[in-house]
């Protein structure tokens, strides 16, 4: 927890007690501050000295702190707390530590922290060599008390060491006890290495390309405040257009002073174009349309290689073949007969199949729900929108094992997940029958890399939740509609499951997933499911036309409410999904015209945000903090724009969609594309246990068309915390496989990417007629 800085002198009551005994201090100049104003200590200098500890305040989790296996670290209160088991012998039997702390020989350091124990205990605080012989540069024995104290020690490092360890050794007690630590700080030495991303030329473009008839915008990072000349050159270096930039001031999402370039009137297709301004030349880009056609396919092909429960065919995906994961074959312990967490249920379920959520091996109903929904709605859109081209999503378009079965491949892929969601429903006759288990995953986190079939952890079903149940109701109702022409029995099975789930959710409206249930998998907790109720009711109504669901829709606070969140829709905020469906799927809803008009209102708001944004993003949270997976929120806001285009035919909405993708594909502060294989510099090391080429050259990178989560201001992972401290939102990203908070891939992020890629591919050169509406 962040608290005001400690005073420069130590109040007597905060002087660590027993400190002289603590000075078993390693050989070295470890000295303890014993009195207010101790002269050995130069407070002013220390206050300015660089901080070497990452995340000593625990305001956002506790990474990169680690604990020994007998500990569960809890930072939910803003301090780092842990129950220390009794019955251990040595101090080092229980440790909380942080690695990779840099020390410089001859420099003096000040080590401070707040500590509290219940009951009182003496702990050990060390700064040491992380390996045998564990030489201690500071060793202190703080007497931790129930009331809590601040502790300060100084020492001079005898060594240059890039990877010292800060460790609290807390073992050796017969009785169990609890400890809380906070505001851990080690100041002194050299400024930590500042990570400077290579952002290349200061002219930022969509590195893939622009549609010939679409808008064409770029951004220049410059110190100039007045307009600058710019030149557009073709692949042969010929000057084809020139003009002047528009100064836009300082963009708060990047901290950069920027100008924009508008070259939308230039329409000639070609490859290798560049833009030059302020003495810098952009990375090359095309003017054309085929790249979105390719992305429509690639973004969907992503799902086959995320499949659980089946071998991935190397013939279908060269370089990506792997054995089936979690099919009840050792060393896997799942997923054909999976028990619940202890005490949660007395049965096992076959929950094999589905897609792995992300870079982990977990499978989560809430997140699977929005993902499969968006694939099905991408399909639904293609059959109804004026520019829709359903045959582009038809049979034999994705090279799947099911290709050739006369069912559109996008639906074959969606079915793989929907079958899994159905399996997560609590069977009849069991407690909470009809609800869906929230998730299934390993009972503790696995490391990287780890191919799915090699995961040997115990798999567990987690308690049913209302949110999961409503995700099942919504997607099963939608599947009943969408699959009806192709497989009547499957459609009926879905409809029955949807109705059962709906009834169960109504009977258990507030069973929320536990936010602390995050060991071995994400929590995906959500304490407001009124939006999931709205979405599920909408799908059930659209499929059945039944009064019960229609009345629920009309009475929901979300129906007349403002569902167009500034941050966007996502797995935990699904009201907009319901609204978009009610606006686009035919029905007799009495206020359907108003519902359709509301989509344009939402789109106008996102468009206003985009227009005001120097990088052209329909996302600019008032607190200027980018969310985990910001790219998916950005692309989801583009879905609202795209739907407004489908409903109204107004070009400005389509233009907004295209400009949004410019950001995703390179027109951004980092000058990189967030889609693997698209753009000269693109994300390729997304956090994944099997596309882990960065860790093992025998493994592949993520497949072409994989979206990275993108900038995340909260930088919860150690790599981001070490490299990106203090980052402006757009800079809170690193293409490193260990940066799970900024650089993961997920099924719910590729879903809006594929939806938007299909929408844009449907626009031909950017001027496709919108006839059907
Ligand atoms: O995408 C999720 C994001 O919205 C949450 O803030 C975050 C923390 O709960 O979790 C993200 O989801 C991760 C999930 O918990 C585990 N699988 C990987 C997901 C993407 O990082």
């Amino acid at each position: 927890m962040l608290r005001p800085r400690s005073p420069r002198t130590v109040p007597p009551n905060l002087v660590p007690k027993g400190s002289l005994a603590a000075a078993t201090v390693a050989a070295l100049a470890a000295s303890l501050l014993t009195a207010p104003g101790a002269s050995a200590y130069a407070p002013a200098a220390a206050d300015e000295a660089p901080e070497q500890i990452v995340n000593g305040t625990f305001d956002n989790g506790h990474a990169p702190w680690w604990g020994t296996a007998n500990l569960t670290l809890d930072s939910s209160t803003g301090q780092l707390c842990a129950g220390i088991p009794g019955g251990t012998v040595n101090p080092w039997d229980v440790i909380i530590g942080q690695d990779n702390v840099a020390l410089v020989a001859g420099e003096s350091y000040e080590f401070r922290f707040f500590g509290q124990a219940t009951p009182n205990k003496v702990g050990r605080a060390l700064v040491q060599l992380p390996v045998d012989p564990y030489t201690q540069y500071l060793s202190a024995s703080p007497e931790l008390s129930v009331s809590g104290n601040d502790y300060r020690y100084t020492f001079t490092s005898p060594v240059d060491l890039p990877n010292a360890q800060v460790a609290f050794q807390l073992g050796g007690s017969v009785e169990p006890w609890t400890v809380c630590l906070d505001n851990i700080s080690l100041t002194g030495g050299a400024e930590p290495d500042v990570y400077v991303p290579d952002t290349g030329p200061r002219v930022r473009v969509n590195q893939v390309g622009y549609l010939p008839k679409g808008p064409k915008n770029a951004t220049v990072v410059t110190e100039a405040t007045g307009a600058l000349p710019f030149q557009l050159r073709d692949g042969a270096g010929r000057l084809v257009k020139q003009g002047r930039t528009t100064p836009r001031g300082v963009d708060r999402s990047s901290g950069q002073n920027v100008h924009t370039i508008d070259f939308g009137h230039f329409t000639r297709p070609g490859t290798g174009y560049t833009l030059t301004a302020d003495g810098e030349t952009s990375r090359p880009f095309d003017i054309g349309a085929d790249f979105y056609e390719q992305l429509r396919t690639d973004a969907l092909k992503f799902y086959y290689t995320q499949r659980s429960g089946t071998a991935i065919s190397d013939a279908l995906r060269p370089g990506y073949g792997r054995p089936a994961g979690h099919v009840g074959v050792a060393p896997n312990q799942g997923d054909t007969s999976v028990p619940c967490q202890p005490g949660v249920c007395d049965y096992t379920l076959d929950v094999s199949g589905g897609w792995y959520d992300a870079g982990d091996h977990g499978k989560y109903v809430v997140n699977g729900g929005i993902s499969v929904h968006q694939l099905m709605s991408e399909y639904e859109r293609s059959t109804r929108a004026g520019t829709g081209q359903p045959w582009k999503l038809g049979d034999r378009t994705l090279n799947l094992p099911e290709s050739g079965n006369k069912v559109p491949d996008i639906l074959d892929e969606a079915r793989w997940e929907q079958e899994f969601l159905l399996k997560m429903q609590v069977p009849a006759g069991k407690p909470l029958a009809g609800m869906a288990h929230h998730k299934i995953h390993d009972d503790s986190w696995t490391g990287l890399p780890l191919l799915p079939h090699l995961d040997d952890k115990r798999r567990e079903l987690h308690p049913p939740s209302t949110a999961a149940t409503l995700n099942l109701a919504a997607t099963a109702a939608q599947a009943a509609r969408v699959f009806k022409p192709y497989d009547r029995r499957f459609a009926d099975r879905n409809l029955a499951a949807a109705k059962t789930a709906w009834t169960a959710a109504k009977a258990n409206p507030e069973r929320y997933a536990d936010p602390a249930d995050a060991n071995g998998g994400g929590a995906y907790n959500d304490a407001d499911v009124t939006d999931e109720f709205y979405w599920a009711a909408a799908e059930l109504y659209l499929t059945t036309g039944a009064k019960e669901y229609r009345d629920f829709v009309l009475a929901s606070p979300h129906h007349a409410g403002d569902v167009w969140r500034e941050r966007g829709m996502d797995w935990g905020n699904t009201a907009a999904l319901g609204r978009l469906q009610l606006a686009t799927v035919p029905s007799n809803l009495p206020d359907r015209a108003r519902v359709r008009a509301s989509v344009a209102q939402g789109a106008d708001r996102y468009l206003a945000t985009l227009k005001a944004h120097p990088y052209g993003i329909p996302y600019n949270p008032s607190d200027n903090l980018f969310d985990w997976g910001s790219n998916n929120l950005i692309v989801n806001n583009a879905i609202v724009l795209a739907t407004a285009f489908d409903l109204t035919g107004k070009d400005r909405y389509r233009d907004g969609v295209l400009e949004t993708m410019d950001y995703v594909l390179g027109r951004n502060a980092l000058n990189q594309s967030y889609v693997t294989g698209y753009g000269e510099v693109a994300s390729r090391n997304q956090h994944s246990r099997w596309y882990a080429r960065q860790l093992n050259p025998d493994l592949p990178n993520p497949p072409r068309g994989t979206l990275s989560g993108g900038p995340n201001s909260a930088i919860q992972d150690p790599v981001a915390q070490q490299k990106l401290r203090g980052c402006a939102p757009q800079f809170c990203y690193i293409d490193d496989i260990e940066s799970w908070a900024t650089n993961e891939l997920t099924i719910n992020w590729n879903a809006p990417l594929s939806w938007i890629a299909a929408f844009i591919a449907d626009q031909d050169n950017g001027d496709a007629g919108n006839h059907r509406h």
Side-chain angles (χ1 to χ4, degrees):
M1 192 178 302
L2 266 181
R3 301 187 310 179
R5 291 203 73 138
S6 312
R8 289 180 178 185
T9 53
V10 187
N13 63 336
L14 291 185
V15 173
K17 283 171 272 169
S19 47
L20 291 177
T24 53
V25 176
L28 319 160
S31 73
L32 177 63
L33 281 183
T34 50
S39 59
Y41 168 53
D47 266 6
E48 287 153 19
E51 177 60 74
Q52 305 297 340
I53 298 278
V54 176
N55 185 18
T57 57
F58 309 109
D59 295 317
N60 250 316
H62 48 263
W65 292 91
W66 51 264
T68 40
N70 49 7
L71 282 184
T72 300
L73 302 183
D74 175 13
S75 49
S76 57
T77 58
Q79 300 189 334
L80 180 59
C81 298
I84 310 298
T88 62
V89 178
N90 306 298
W92 53 85
D93 291 340
V94 183
I95 307 176
I96 294 175
Q98 177 166 138
D99 293 329
N100 298 318
V101 176
L103 296 179
V104 178
E107 292 284 331
S108 66
Y109 290 84
E110 183 184 47
F111 185 49
R112 302 197 275 204
F113 60 90
F114 166 85
Q116 189 266 336
T118 311
N120 294 356
K121 280 285 167 200
V122 179
R124 295 222 292 172
L126 306 168
V127 180
Q128 63 176 8
L129 192 69
V131 290
D132 204 16
Y134 297 99
T135 313
Q136 298 169 355
Y137 313 122
L138 170 70
S139 167
S141 301
E143 289 195 351
L144 305 168
S145 70
V146 174
S147 54
N149 277 336
D150 288 310
Y151 299 85
R152 320 170 86 183
Y153 308 92
T154 61
F155 67 100
T156 300
S157 173
V159 287
D160 278 317
L161 187 67
N163 62 335
Q165 180 180 79
V166 169
F168 293 89
Q169 295 188 346
L170 306 168
S173 169
V174 177
E175 303 299 329
W177 56 290
T178 61
V179 70
C180 288
L181 301 168
D182 202 359
N183 298 329
I184 307 173
S185 161
L186 179 70
T187 49
E191 287 290 347
D193 281 348
V194 180
Y195 165 75
V196 182
D198 178 4
T199 56
R202 287 182 286 103
V203 183
R204 308 290 156 76
V205 297
N206 179 332
Q207 293 174 24
V208 178
Y210 299 85
L211 298 192
K213 299 287 175 56
K216 296 173 197 70
N217 295 284
T219 297
V220 190
V221 179
T222 173
E223 286 178 3
T225 48
L228 297 167
F230 75 81
Q231 298 85 36
L232 175 67
R233 290 193 171 76
D234 66 14
R238 282 183 298 251
L239 183 67
V240 292
K241 182 180 169 62
Q242 35 191 337
R244 295 185 76 74
T245 65
T246 305
R248 300 292 298 268
V250 174
D251 159 46
R252 67 180 196 146
S253 71
S254 61
Q256 298 167 328
N257 186 62
V258 298
H259 296 194
T260 49
I261 291 176
D262 180 349
F263 60 111
H265 293 305
F266 186 84
T267 59
R268 194 186 318 144
T271 58
Y273 284 102
T274 57
L275 272 174
T276 302
D278 201 23
E280 301 257 325
T281 296
S282 73
R283 291 186 172 140
F285 58 89
D286 295 353
I287 294 180
D290 26 336
F291 29 87
Y292 283 108
E293 196 56 64
Q294 182 69 45
L295 186 57
R296 157 159 41 201
T297 310
D298 286 342
L300 281 174
K301 280 181 155 183
F302 163 90
Y303 290 91
Y304 172 56
T305 47
Q306 285 292 118
R307 285 190 190 185
S308 178
T310 187
I312 303 305
S313 153
D314 205 66
L316 296 179
R317 292 293 183 281
Y320 290 89
R322 59 171 171 80
H326 300 99
V327 284
V329 174
N332 282 170
Q333 296 194 43
D335 288 352
T336 48
S337 179
V338 180
C340 281
Q341 283 178 306
V344 168
C345 75
D346 65 357
Y347 49 83
T348 61
L349 290 182
D350 176 354
V351 291
S352 55
W355 302 315
Y356 295 116
D357 185 58
D360 59 326
H361 301 145
K363 301 190 292 193
Y364 312 85
V365 171
V366 289
N367 208 45
I370 187 172
S371 310
V372 74
H373 161 73
Q374 289 192 313
L375 259 56
M376 289 191 283
S377 84
E378 176 180 341
Y379 170 77
E380 289 194 280
R381 177 196 170 271
S382 77
T383 65
R384 292 203 182 92
T387 56
Q389 302 176 343
W391 58 92
K392 294 283 178 55
L393 300 171
D395 191 20
R396 299 185 192 277
T397 51
L398 297 177
N399 214 13
L400 300 176
E402 298 83 6
S403 294
N405 67 354
K406 302 200 167 62
V407 177
D409 277 4
I410 189 172
L411 293 186
D412 285 327
E413 194 55 71
R415 181 170 179 160
W416 190 263
E417 178 70 2
Q418 189 58 33
E419 296 269 15
F420 158 73
L421 297 181
L422 292 169
K423 291 177 176 179
M424 290 292 278
Q425 194 162 30
V426 177
K430 297 292 178 188
L432 302 175
M435 292 194 78
H437 286 277
H438 194 66
K439 52 180 185 166
I440 176 240
H441 59 70
D442 295 332
D443 64 356
S444 59
W445 285 106
T446 52
L448 275 68
L450 183 67
L451 283 155
H453 69 287
L454 298 177
D455 172 18
D456 64 1
K457 299 266 183 193
R458 178 185 162 91
R459 309 277 281 177
E460 290 174 336
L461 292 165
H462 292 244
S465 71
T466 310
T469 306
L470 291 166
N471 269 265
L472 174 62
T475 58
Q478 185 182 19
R481 189 168 70 237
V482 167
F483 282 92
K484 199 168 174 184
Y486 300 103
D487 186 338
R488 177 114 208 179
R489 283 184 55 201
F490 182 59
D492 289 348
R493 186 149 67 89
N494 274 284
L495 188 55
K499 288 177 175 172
T500 308
W502 173 259
T503 306
K506 290 275 296 257
N508 299 279
E510 289 178 357
R511 281 193 179 257
Y512 303 128
D514 178 357
D517 185 13
N519 193 17
Y524 281 117
N525 55 300
D526 179 2
D528 178 358
V529 297
T530 58
D531 50 330
E532 281 79 7
F533 267 110
Y534 178 59
W535 171 39
E539 295 291 0
L540 277 156
Y541 169 65
L542 292 169
T543 299
T544 64
K547 180 171 179 305
E548 175 190 355
Y549 309 120
R550 187 198 62 189
D551 290 351
F552 191 98
V553 163
L554 295 175
S556 164
H558 294 289
H559 192 53
D562 181 358
V563 296
W564 313 114
R565 299 172 78 234
E566 163 186 77
R567 315 192 88 94
M569 56 192 179
D570 67 4
W571 62 266
N573 299 282
T574 60
L577 302 178
R579 184 73 65 80
L580 293 171
Q581 290 293 91
L582 291 169
T584 53
V585 179
S587 77
N588 294 321
L589 195 70
D591 58 352
R592 190 157 182 268
R594 184 196 62 80
V595 164
R596 287 160 76 87
S598 81
V599 176
Q601 286 155 13
D604 282 328
R605 189 183 306 163
Y606 293 132
L607 206 51
T609 302
L610 178 153
K611 292 281 172 215
H613 201 298
Y615 273 101
I617 329 175
Y619 173 79
N620 188 4
S622 342
D623 57 11
N624 199 29
L625 294 174
F626 275 33
D627 298 85
W628 191 319
S630 59
N631 281 338
N632 101 102
L633 296 165
I634 290 168
V635 180
N636 268 324
N637 289 345
I639 288 186
V640 179
L641 293 168
T643 306
F645 173 77
D646 287 341
L647 293 175
T648 67
K650 290 191 176 137
D651 287 350
R652 65 171 188 269
Y653 299 127
R654 170 163 67 194
D655 290 353
V657 176
L658 292 164
E659 195 168 345
T660 303
M661 285 308 291
D662 295 341
Y663 167 84
V664 175
L665 297 175
R667 182 196 177 197
N668 53 51
L670 290 174
N671 196 6
Q672 66 144 86
S673 158
Y674 290 105
V675 181
T676 307
Y678 284 77
E680 188 158 278
V681 176
S683 301
R684 55 204 296 271
N685 294 311
Q686 287 95 326
H687 179 79
S688 163
R689 281 166 178 69
W690 55 102
Y691 307 129
R693 191 186 176 95
Q694 196 184 346
L695 300 172
N696 175 355
D698 294 338
L699 294 171
N701 287 106
R704 205 169 55 168
T706 300
L707 180 67
S708 166
N712 169 7
S713 296
I715 53 170
Q716 289 91 336
D717 65 77
V719 172
Q721 291 184 355
Q722 240 134 22
K723 302 232 163 131
L724 307 175
R725 248 193 289 180
C727 50
Q730 282 204 53
F731 285 98
C732 298
Y733 171 81
I734 183 165
D735 184 26
D736 187 301
I737 192 164
E738 303 284 5
S739 183
W740 39 264
T742 79
N743 194 36
E744 195 154 353
L745 52 85
T746 73
I747 55 173
N748 61 312
W749 300 342
N750 248 64
L753 177 71
S754 84
W755 198 108
I756 283 296
F759 170 87
I760 298 180
D762 282 345
Q763 308 310 315
D764 300 337
N765 287 327
D767 59 352
N770 189 20
H771 302 305
R772 254 178 276 178
H773 275 281

